[in-house]
Amino acid sequence: MDSDDEGGFNSAASSIELDEEMSSSVDFDSDVELDDYQEDETAFEATAKDLAPRRKAYEVEYRVYSPKDIQAQQDDQVAEVANLLEQPPEATAILLRHVRWNKERLIEQYMDAQEELLDKAGLGQDISKNPPRLQVIDGFCCDICCEDTPGLESFAMNCGHRFCVDCYRQYLVQKIKGEGEAARIKCPGDGCNKIIDAKSLDLLVPTELTERYNELLMRTYVDDKENLKWCPAPNCVYAVECGVKKRDLNKIVPSVHCDCKHAFCFGCTLADHQPCPCVLVKKWLKKCEDDSETANWISANTKECPKCHSTIEKNGGCNHMTCRKCKNEFCWMCMGVWSEHGTSWYNCNRFEEKSGSDARDAQAKSRQSLERYLHYYNRYANHEQSAKLDKDIFHKTEKKMTLLQSSSGMSWIEVQFLEAASQALQQCRQTLKWTYAFAYYLARNNQTAIFEDNQKDLEMAVENLSEMFEKSTDQLAGLKVEMMDKTTYCMRRRVILLDDTAKNLKEQTWEFIVDMV
Amino acid sequence: MTAPLPKRIIKETERLQSEPVPGISAQPHDDNARYFDVMVEGPGGSCYEGGIFNLELFLPDDYPMCPPRIRFLTRIYHPNIDRLGRICLDVLKNNWSPALQIRTILLSIQALLGAPNPEDPLNEAVAKQWKENQPEAIRTAREWTKLYAQKK
Ligand SMILES: [Zn+2]
Ligand SMILES: [Zn+2]
Ligand SMILES: [Zn+2]
Ligand SMILES: [Zn+2]
Ligand SMILES: [Zn+2]
Ligand SMILES: [Zn+2]
């Protein structure tokens, strides 16, 4: 579908990855420690491997930014381009917002048609010659409030639309606070397209609004950039940068972990759905939502009794139906009274035999299709439900850990295995859940069989660990070693499953039963 | 209970009386100076010609930072006006400027009667008819004007 070279994508990822890993080599929170295979610990060969970047096929390069970082990034870009264009930073910022932070496009347009660009961006003539200031003008009457008191301070940009300071401020308050606008606020003059520049805004925005204003500006900056996204977690202020492009989303699932601990997909910003690509996630959720499969099946296989209107399911091939409720006998094909079917009592004579068998085929097919869907859906829903329950347990984990400490005399550090187990359960359930949505769309072949083996392995390990986790406190102490082993095992099975799936996705060797659009 | 009427509203009201716009009138209520009875004549040459349309206009507290609220009271067959009389007009929404006034808004509404825009419909059914069978739509608009928009 797209001929994007993965080489470029990978090499870009690994070059940055290297210094990232070096700087965070003692970061125990990172997934890296969990991805380590024990085989790697064999002394000598490990050294070379340890130095080389080791990213699993399902991992992507990304970075988390605080609001401060984003502001700095924005300022840097403005400064850089301002230098190039020899424009003041205020004007440059407006220009960059105008082209949605596409630096190259801005420079190109600036070179090609400077005046047109300035005009379109709402800058008109050079503002550096005429810094914005408040003025008192004799005989001025404000068109907005009709005030004409002598000494009234007023403001106008070089478009000449002059209003009193109070009105200008009120206007900005309305725009910023009421309408959430920031980057593209126009002159209040009727029909004027001039955008109010940053310097004028500094002069006019009431101090209590500057914070909100800057926040809004930052929002537009992140919204405008394809490689930046806000973390969708409620109240989270971080943004994530990731180089994965929209067109790559059928080849990789860009899972990112925000500093607030929320894991989400950079592609669609839904909660992490590794290993299932965004497009299948979308299809799957839609399918589960409208439940069309079930509805189709019901419409194909149930009818209302013509007499008492109770719902009747047809389960055999015979068209001679007897309503369980009112004992009405009727023909499934024509809904007519059965007694009118005369001597040809076996088949409805108002239809050809062929259409009867077609109907039966269609029914069998739709039932099969429903059963297939339900097979995957039930497992998907089960893991979703269990993950929710595990989450409750996760909240209770701390309590459990405290209990265990007092009953067994273990230290806080020594009971950490419970927390590790709880987290592993969460993560693995999340993964398993999506493996079922993924598998639903897979064609039957050898590769799928291997996938399902991996899935089964992980599932069994998870159920095992889950069972141990539920045990009472007095049993838990004795299970410590076993649980730690199982936790490691689960995480390792998860990595194997994800890595394998992601590799095949990258190489586009999966065969899907739907179009990947 | 009532805050003093802003100078702006007083001036606008005065001017609406002293220099009325031809074909348009706006009369504030005695008990509520922010509430106006509006009358707009259908523009000559349009399918609303000869009609007299009543509207209500209200100036909210944040006027003129926010646009006035206006609604047709007389039934009208127009793609940009819905059954409740609400009007789809850019200057009443995104393109509102505090420098605009009641008179300019009413002139825009009169202009909208002269130039219906089925591409930006508020009333889907009317807009569809307008695009598919314009002569028929215009005939209906004329009929409605005769039926509902005559001086009583
Ligand atoms: Zn202006
Ligand atoms: Zn003013
Ligand atoms: Zn976050
Ligand atoms: Zn996604
Ligand atoms: Zn019945
Ligand atoms: Zn029959």
Side-chain angles (χ1 to χ4, degrees):
Chain A
M1 195 184 67
D2 52 6
S3 59
D4 232 71
D5 63 321
E6 284 158 32
F9 180 70
N10 282 337
S11 56
S14 44
S15 66
I16 300 179
E17 177 193 39
L18 191 60
D19 43 44
E20 205 178 69
E21 284 219 344
M22 284 186 166
S23 63
S24 65
S25 52
V26 260
D27 180 7
F28 290 109
D29 281 331
S30 100
D31 298 359
V32 180
E33 52 167 341
L34 295 163
D35 301 344
D36 277 352
Y37 292 100
Q38 269 159 0
E39 299 91 84
D40 286 352
E41 281 163 17
T42 11
F44 294 110
E45 357 163 339
T47 33
K49 259 187 171 177
D50 283 345
L51 286 175
R54 262 182 307 152
R55 192 176 287 282
K56 299 286 172 220
Y58 61 89
E59 291 175 315
V60 292
E61 175 221 334
Y62 65 89
R63 227 161 251 227
V64 181
Y65 293 109
S66 70
K68 227 186 201 164
D69 299 332
I70 296 164
Q71 187 59 54
Q73 206 183 90
Q74 225 175 135
D75 292 346
D76 285 352
Q77 291 199 34
V78 170
E80 186 198 330
V81 177
N83 240 329
L84 261 164
L85 304 186
E86 296 177 327
Q87 281 278 349
E90 293 75 25
T92 309
I94 291 178
L95 289 173
L96 276 166
R97 285 184 199 116
H98 175 71
V99 296
R100 311 218 173 255
W101 295 90
N102 187 333
K103 212 161 62 182
E104 287 72 32
R105 206 169 81 206
L106 172 60
I107 293 164
E108 196 180 297
Q109 284 185 14
Y110 193 83
M111 298 305 167
D112 284 359
Q114 184 174 337
E115 255 167 52
E116 195 190 322
L117 174 71
L118 289 175
D119 215 51
K120 270 196 194 148
L123 283 167
Q125 296 142 4
D126 191 1
I127 59 161
S128 62
K129 285 181 202 138
N130 248 328
R133 63 203 170 98
L134 304 182
Q135 281 180 290
V136 175
I137 286 174
D138 275 350
F140 167 74
C141 176
C142 174
D143 270 352
I144 295 177
C145 63
C146 300
E147 221 36 84
D148 54 2
T149 334
L152 187 65
E153 276 193 308
S154 63
F155 178 82
M157 289 184 291
N158 54 17
C159 58
H161 297 113
R162 181 168 292 279
F163 305 99
C164 83
V165 178
D166 272 0
C167 284
Y168 234 113
R169 294 221 160 108
Q170 264 191 59
Y171 173 74
L172 291 175
V173 171
Q174 168 65 25
K175 288 284 165 194
I176 295 166
K177 221 171 155 183
E179 295 165 34
E181 263 191 63
R184 294 170 187 97
I185 303 177
K186 289 175 180 173
C187 163
D190 173 24
C192 183
N193 280 324
K194 193 172 163 62
I195 287 163
I196 306 178
D197 59 276
K199 264 215 169 120
S200 303
L201 284 164
D202 278 350
L203 187 72
L204 294 162
V205 173
T207 39
E208 71 269 18
L209 268 190
T210 37
E211 205 178 306
R212 174 79 183 132
Y213 172 70
N214 286 324
E215 201 183 298
L216 286 167
L217 274 188
M218 205 134 71
R219 289 241 149 231
T220 63
Y221 173 73
V222 172
D223 292 344
D224 280 350
K225 299 207 88 167
E226 203 202 349
N227 61 346
L228 277 180
K229 266 173 197 157
W230 294 107
C231 167
N235 300 321
C236 178
V237 295
Y238 294 109
V240 174
E241 178 179 12
C242 177
V244 173
K245 299 267 186 288
K246 242 197 189 114
R247 57 171 188 268
D248 293 319
L249 289 179
N250 281 353
K251 290 193 264 175
I252 193 154
V253 183
S255 302
V256 298
H257 296 253
C258 179
D259 284 0
C260 75
K261 295 227 180 331
H262 179 60
F264 67 98
C265 166
F266 188 82
C268 63
T269 69
L270 291 175
D272 184 21
H273 54 70
Q274 200 75 250
C276 194
C278 297
V279 56
L280 295 182
V281 168
K282 214 172 135 199
K283 279 186 206 288
W284 176 257
L285 292 177
K286 189 162 182 292
K287 186 175 187 61
C288 295
E289 196 182 307
D290 63 13
D291 226 3
S292 56
E293 203 84 33
T294 324
N296 278 345
W297 192 85
I298 288 171
S299 74
N301 299 288
T302 65
K303 276 178 186 166
E304 272 182 15
C305 164
K307 205 168 161 194
C308 76
H309 300 290
S310 58
T311 305
I312 295 167
E313 184 189 320
K314 183 174 191 285
N315 41 26
C318 176
N319 287 327
H320 181 181
M321 306 300 294
T322 308
C323 172
R324 232 173 283 173
K325 212 173 157 200
C326 72
K327 310 289 176 217
N328 174 36
E329 288 179 61
F330 64 98
C331 167
W332 177 264
M333 297 309 291
C334 67
M335 304 299 284
V337 184
W338 189 255
S339 57
E340 283 174 8
H341 282 67
T343 47
S344 58
W345 54 272
Y346 185 71
N347 281 314
C348 168
N349 59 359
R350 298 178 210 180
F351 282 87
E352 283 172 89
E353 171 66 30
K354 178 79 172 72
S355 74
S357 80
D358 278 357
R360 279 192 293 278
D361 283 355
Q363 184 193 353
K365 229 171 145 183
S366 83
R367 180 185 262 285
Q368 213 175 18
S369 144
L370 174 73
E371 272 170 2
R372 179 171 185 277
Y373 166 65
L374 288 178
H375 169 88
Y376 292 100
Y377 178 76
N378 287 337
R379 282 154 186 81
Y380 165 88
N382 170 45
H383 282 297
E384 184 168 57
Q385 188 53 29
S386 304
K388 272 185 201 144
L389 294 176
D390 286 347
K391 206 169 197 166
D392 294 339
I393 290 162
F394 173 70
H395 290 308
K396 286 180 216 147
T397 305
E398 238 171 79
K399 213 167 147 196
K400 232 175 179 173
M401 285 161 76
T402 317
L403 274 171
L404 187 55
Q405 272 182 94
S406 53
S407 72
S408 68
M410 286 188 196
S411 72
W412 182 248
I413 302 286
E414 282 172 317
V415 296
Q416 287 302 312
F417 74 95
L418 279 178
E419 163 109 28
S422 164
Q423 279 188 19
L425 282 174
Q426 280 281 311
Q427 267 190 304
C428 292
R429 293 247 191 239
Q430 179 78 2
T431 302
L432 277 170
K433 177 178 129 180
W434 287 109
T435 59
Y436 282 107
F438 183 70
Y440 175 76
Y441 292 108
L442 286 179
R444 301 285 350 156
N445 59 30
N446 203 29
Q447 199 171 316
T448 300
I450 294 170
F451 176 81
E452 285 180 339
D453 280 349
N454 279 330
Q455 187 185 37
K456 204 172 73 202
D457 278 352
L458 178 59
E459 181 147 50
M460 272 166 61
V462 166
E463 295 310 340
N464 258 315
L465 181 60
S466 190
E467 214 171 285
M468 283 192 252
F469 194 86
E470 305 280 346
K471 291 263 157 64
S472 60
T473 324
D474 50 316
Q475 286 175 289
L476 278 174
L479 284 169
K480 179 175 172 176
V481 176
E482 208 181 325
M483 269 181 90
M484 285 172 74
D485 284 352
K486 201 49 113 184
T487 302
T488 313
Y489 183 74
C490 279
M491 291 311 276
R492 199 180 304 153
R493 292 311 311 179
R494 176 177 172 268
V495 167
I496 290 169
L497 176 76
L498 291 182
D499 199 38
D500 195 54
T501 314
K503 270 183 195 146
N504 291 324
L505 200 60
K506 208 163 252 180
E507 285 154 20
Q508 299 190 281
T509 54
W510 289 114
E511 207 186 304
F512 297 106
I513 57 168
V514 284
D515 287 336
M516 293 293 277
V517 283
Chain B
M1 155 208 135
T2 40
L5 210 55
K7 203 167 177 177
R8 151 91 185 236
I9 296 180
I10 296 170
K11 287 233 166 168
E12 269 201 76
T13 310
E14 276 171 13
R15 208 176 144 222
L16 279 167
Q17 316 299 325
S18 60
E19 305 164 42
V21 194
I24 293 174
S25 84
Q27 199 66 41
H29 278 202
D30 290 338
D31 55 349
N32 187 350
R34 288 177 174 270
Y35 192 93
F36 291 74
D37 289 324
V38 174
M39 187 274 303
V40 173
E41 286 175 16
S46 77
C47 45
Y48 308 101
E49 184 173 5
I52 295 182
F53 297 90
N54 294 312
L55 298 86
E56 58 177 357
L57 182 150
F58 178 70
L59 303 175
D61 281 345
D62 37 12
Y63 178 82
M65 291 305 153
C66 289
R69 294 199 203 119
I70 310 177
R71 189 171 79 91
F72 271 82
L73 296 172
T74 305
R75 284 192 71 181
I76 181 166
Y77 191 84
H78 191 291
N80 310 105
I81 299 164
D82 73 4
R83 281 173 43 216
L84 299 173
R86 293 175 302 191
I87 307 157
C88 176
L89 190 62
D90 60 341
V91 286
L92 285 176
K93 292 174 187 157
N94 303 334
N95 287 342
W96 169 253
S97 147
L100 283 165
Q101 299 183 9
I102 299 173
R103 62 194 306 123
T104 40
I105 286 300
L106 294 181
L107 278 166
S108 305
I109 288 171
Q110 199 177 38
L112 186 68
L113 296 188
N117 177 13
E119 298 304 325
D120 182 22
L122 187 61
N123 193 327
E124 290 286 350
V126 177
K128 192 164 174 266
Q129 175 78 318
W130 218 278
K131 279 195 275 196
E132 282 167 7
N133 190 351
Q134 197 174 334
E136 183 60 37
I138 287 174
R139 204 164 18 247
T140 311
R142 281 218 173 89
E143 247 164 56
W144 281 38
T145 303
K146 275 207 192 91
L147 218 55
Y148 305 112
Q150 298 307 308
K151 205 169 201 156
K152 280 163 203 134

